[in-house]
């Protein structure tokens, strides 16, 4: 059997995932493969670089900088998060990402992106985080507040538009014992985006992407229903926030970020024995 870790996005709610993964690092809980969407990809790679605490540290330090994230970079560059600062300066110089350890892990890591032309999800294996930084950036490039990212002549955006929780893809790939980390609580129901906005911004040039974006709420809610059904059957293991914490998608308040991170740590510790029992039961591979 192959164990897999599936990481939902959710912008700054992803610090919840960081808390969960830091607990996994504390207890040497590993997987045969990892797949992440948006913030799940950006924050999830730190599991394989073995950098406990890095995600909450750099977000608390840099998110409040107006030149790093917010309307200033949005007006200046068309991206609500400054591309050079966030994706290149911080991980290469200011809070260095351990790319060597990440590459040495040999654990397959996939980032989900959405192709603007087809509207379909694509699952790109990341073998070198620095060399493939544009793929990671594409995975987290949120509609309306980020520009498309060009990779090999094709344009991509937020992987969550086409596949917010890629557990079905990992099952299809042969990962049959999954731990799924969500960033929304059990009562969360996604609402629709204005069709006037989607059509005005994307409809003329990217009709298939626009349709997928317009239908995302119903696709997401259906996906969660299928996930919940599998969870009840014991087909996978889900960790989700046990409480609802109000926060912005571009949350800058260090205390709010810390509270969400701490919730992830607490929830993971509370269910640690369950996770271990699920992963280490007879037949689990690679652990």
């Amino acid at each position: 059997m192959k164990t897999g870790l599936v990481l939902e996005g959710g912008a700054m709610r992803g610090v919840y995932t960081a808390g969960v993964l830091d607990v996994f690092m504390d207890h040497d809980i590993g997987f045969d493969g990892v797949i992440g969407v948006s913030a799940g990809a950006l924050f999830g790679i730190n599991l394989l670089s073995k950098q406990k605490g890095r995600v909450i540290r750099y977000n608390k330090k840099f998110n409040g900088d107006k030149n790093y994230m917010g309307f200033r970079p949005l007006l200046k560059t068309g991206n609500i998060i400054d591309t050079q600062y966030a994706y290149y300066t911080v991980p290469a110089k200011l809070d260095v990402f351990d790319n060597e350890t990440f590459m040495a892990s040999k654990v397959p890591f996939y980032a989900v992106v959405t192709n603007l032309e087809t509207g379909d999800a694509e699952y790109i294996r990341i073998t070198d985080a620095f060399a493939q930084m544009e793929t990671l950036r594409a995975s987290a490039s949120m509609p309306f507040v980020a520009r498309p990212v060009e990779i090999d002549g094709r344009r991509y955006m937020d992987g969550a538009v086409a596949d917010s929780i890629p557990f079905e893809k990992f099952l299809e790939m042969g990962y049959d014992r999954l731990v799924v980390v969500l960033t929304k609580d059990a009562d969360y129901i996604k609402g629709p985006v204005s069709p006037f906005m989607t059509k005005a911004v994307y409809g003329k040039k990217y009709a298939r992407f626009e349709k997928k974006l317009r239908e995302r709420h119903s696709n997401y809610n259906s996906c969660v229903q299928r996930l919940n059904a599998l969870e009840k059957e014991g087909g996978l293991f889900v960790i989700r926030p046990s409480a609802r914490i109000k926060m912005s998608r571009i949350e800058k308040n260090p205390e709010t970020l810390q509270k969400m991170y701490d919730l992830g740590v607490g929830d993971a510790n509370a269910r640690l024995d369950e996770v271990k029992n699920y992963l280490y039961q007879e037949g689990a591979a690679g652990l």
Side-chain angles (χ1 to χ4, degrees), residues 171 175-179 227 229-237 278:
L171 289 172
Y175 294 93
D176 46 12
R177 187 161 295 177
L178 303 183
V179 172
L227 181 76
L230 270 178
E231 180 186 16
K232 288 179 181 178
E233 295 169 3
L236 45 73
F237 190 95
Y278 173 76

Side-chain angles (χ1 to χ4, degrees), residues 16 182 184-186 227-228 231 238-242 267 271:
Y16 174 85
L182 303 181
K184 287 92 170 176
D185 62 89
L227 181 76
N228 291 341
E231 180 186 16
V238 180
I239 297 178
R240 52 167 60 86
S242 58
D267 287 350
R271 303 194 66 194

Side-chain angles (χ1 to χ4, degrees), residues 44-62:
I45 59 173
N46 293 274
L47 175 68
L48 301 187
S49 68
K50 300 180 180 180
Q51 289 178 279
K52 179 189 173 184
R54 180 175 178 270
V55 171
I56 187 62
R57 181 176 65 240
Y58 78 72
N59 278 288
K60 286 174 66 177
K61 183 174 182 179
F62 297 111

Side-chain angles (χ1 to χ4, degrees), residues 139-158:
S139 184
S141 291
M142 297 181 289
F144 308 115
V145 293
R147 293 183 181 276
V149 178
E150 188 168 310
I151 304 169
D152 297 329
R154 293 182 290 275
R155 291 187 169 189
Y156 297 94
M157 290 198 77
D158 193 343

Side-chain angles (χ1 to χ4, degrees), residues 48-108:
L48 301 187
S49 68
K50 300 180 180 180
Q51 289 178 279
K52 179 189 173 184
R54 180 175 178 270
V55 171
I56 187 62
R57 181 176 65 240
Y58 78 72
N59 278 288
K60 286 174 66 177
K61 183 174 182 179
F62 297 111
N63 282 13
D65 187 334
K66 294 179 181 179
N67 294 305
Y68 178 83
M69 181 173 68
F71 289 107
R72 184 174 293 180
L74 180 62
L75 293 173
K76 183 179 177 181
T77 69
N79 294 298
I80 201 162
I81 298 176
D82 185 273
T83 299
Q84 182 61 41
Y85 195 169
Y87 290 95
Y88 292 94
T89 303
V90 169
K93 298 178 180 180
L94 302 181
D95 197 323
V96 177
F97 176 74
D98 189 348
N99 198 39
E100 290 186 5
T101 298
F102 171 77
M103 291 190 293
S105 75
K106 304 299 182 183
V107 175

Side-chain angles (χ1 to χ4, degrees), residues 215-230:
E215 296 174 347
R216 185 189 169 198
H217 68 290
S218 59
N219 291 333
Y220 178 88
N221 294 331
S222 295
C223 175
V224 171
Q225 288 179 352
R226 295 192 299 274
L227 181 76
N228 291 341
L230 270 178

Side-chain angles (χ1 to χ4, degrees), residues 113-127:
V113 295
T114 302
N115 186 309
L116 262 74
E117 295 289 345
T118 66
D120 295 331
E122 294 184 18
Y123 309 87
I124 301 175
R125 183 172 175 179
I126 305 297
T127 56

